[in-house]
């Protein structure tokens, strides 16, 4: 593939997306959702080929795996995106200046968005639906682990676009090799924005190497603090759901912080985790509280490396803290600023935690597993932004638009 030529084609066609009206866009999105299920067997067959090259024990395996149920959920997300109002043409600000100039600030697409992602074939559908709905062309750069799945998915999307007479260059999948990544990262003038989705290593590499603007997403080192006032029933359910619902995603729980006065409740809080064979790396006090109350083969003593780690596996660290400020200090030191949680009945403690924690999403008495575009009513997401420029948290339709100023005059000149 001549990548530079492909990027030129994507740039050229991106401006023509503005000629599609909202009804056409929604019809195409619904058709892609239907086609995903019609070609379910082809997509799953390609996915099995990818899975066959990966060790089942690899934490990425679950992210890579597609099933009919997961494809149904992906299709449902695309239908949700189609049902949402267009994010384009919104008047963000409007005023008339003393000299009679009429100013409007309106939402517009970025133009061309490049997405670099690893073993996550669902991203191919998610990114297309969000970019298409928001008037952006997209360049997909998946990893070699999911290349067969990604190519099967993009083939389905292209077939639908051709059926509707839409140029297929609005969504392109680059080769899986590193050379394509390098070209994309340096495609100034052709790509307006790059969003990496994947490991902290991938995100760090993209941030360091790119000469195209980047929005960081994905890496999640998530904590739950069980306060002195925490409700044990709520806490048990929250901890279990945050850790075990899906361990390979960025909103999964990595570290439980527990107030020292509630150590006697730690065995009960952790009890459901043993059903999923979660390995716990506990500090000294937590280890003593769990010893004899949690399966010995699943209980380990924590080391300094146990904290600040995104496990992406059935593993979790536990640390005992003297008070809420020590919990906040730990989070300040180790958090990736993705999602943090407090379990507390003391409203003052909960408000203090929410005020002091610097993260994209801060939860009170609810698990971090809710950090998700669909759960936030955004239809789907292009990623979870952990930075502070432009967008933060789940990035839905509005978050992948920018704006321009429209100024109407009647012959005014500046003195």
């Amino acid at each position: 593939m001549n990548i530079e030529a492909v990027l030129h084609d994507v740039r050229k066609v991106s401006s023509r997306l503005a000629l599609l009206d909202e009804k056409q866009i929604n019809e195409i999105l619904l058709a892609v959702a239907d086609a995903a299920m019609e070609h379910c067997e082809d997509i799953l067959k390609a996915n099995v080929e990818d899975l066959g090259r990966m060790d089942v024990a690899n934490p990425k395996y679950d992210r890579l795996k597609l099933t009919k149920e997961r494809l149904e959920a992906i299709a449902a997300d695309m239908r949700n995106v189609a049902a949402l109002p267009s994010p384009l043409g919104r008047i963000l600000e409007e005023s008339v200046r003393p000299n009679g100039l009429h100013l409007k600030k309106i939402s517009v697409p970025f133009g061309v968005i490049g997405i670099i992602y690893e073993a996550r074939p669902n991203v191919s559908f998610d990114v297309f639906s969000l970019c298409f709905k928001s008037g952006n062309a997209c360049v997909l750069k998946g990893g070699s682990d999911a290349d067969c799945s990604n190519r099967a998915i993009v083939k389905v999307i292209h077939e639908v676009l051709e059926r509707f007479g839409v140029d297929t260059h609005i969504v392109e999948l680059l080769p899986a090799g590193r050379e394509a990544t390098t070209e994309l990262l340096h495609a100034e003038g052709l790509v307006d924005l790059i969003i990496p989705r994947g490991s902290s290593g991938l995100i760090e590499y993209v941030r360091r190497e790119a000469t195209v603007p980047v929005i960081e997403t994905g890496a999640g080192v998530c904590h739950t603090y069980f306060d002195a006032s925490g409700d044990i029933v709520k806490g048990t359910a929250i901890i279990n759901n945050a850790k075990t619902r899906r361990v390979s995603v960025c909103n999964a729980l990595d570290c439980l912080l527990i107030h020292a006065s509630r150590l006697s409740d730690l065995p009960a809080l952790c009890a459901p985790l043993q059903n999923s064979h979660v390995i716990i790396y506990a500090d000294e006090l937590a280890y003593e509280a769990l010893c004899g109350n949690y399966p010995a083969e699943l209980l380990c003593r924590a080391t300094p490396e146990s904290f600040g780690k995104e496990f992406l596996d059935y593993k979790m660290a536990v640390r005992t803290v003297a008070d809420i400020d020590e919990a906040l200090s730990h989070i300040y030191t180790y958090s990736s600023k993705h999602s943090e949680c407090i379990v507390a009945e003391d409203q003052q403690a909960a408000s203090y935690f929410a005020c002091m924690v610097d993260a994209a999403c801060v939860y009170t008495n609810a698990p971090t597993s809710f950090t998700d575009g669909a759960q936030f009513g955004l239809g789907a997401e292009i990623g979870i932004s952990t930075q502070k420029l432009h967008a933060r948290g789940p990035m839905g339709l509005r978050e992948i638009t920018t704006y321009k100023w429209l100024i109407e005059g009647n012959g005014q000149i500046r003195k």
Side-chain angles (χ1 to χ4, degrees), residues 116-118 181 196-207:
I116 301 175
Y117 53 111
E118 295 172 324
T181 300
R197 290 192 60 175
S199 66
S200 57
L202 170 67
I203 294 165
E204 174 60 29
Y205 174 78
V206 170
R207 178 175 57 190

Side-chain angles (χ1 to χ4, degrees), residues 28-44 46 66 71 74-75 78 124-125 128 140 148-164 166 168 171 173:
I28 292 170
L29 286 175
L30 293 174
V32 172
D34 291 342
M37 298 315 302
E38 291 166 6
H39 294 276
C40 177
E41 289 187 12
D42 295 332
I43 294 171
L44 294 182
L66 292 175
L71 279 175
I74 291 167
M78 284 192 282
S124 299
F125 276 127
F128 164 72
L140 306 174
C148 295
S149 305
N150 290 333
R151 298 208 171 276
I153 289 168
V154 171
K155 181 182 178 183
V156 169
I157 295 171
H158 279 177
E159 287 176 356
V160 174
L161 291 175
E162 288 175 348
R163 194 195 326 154
F164 280 84
V166 176
T168 59
V171 52
L173 176 65

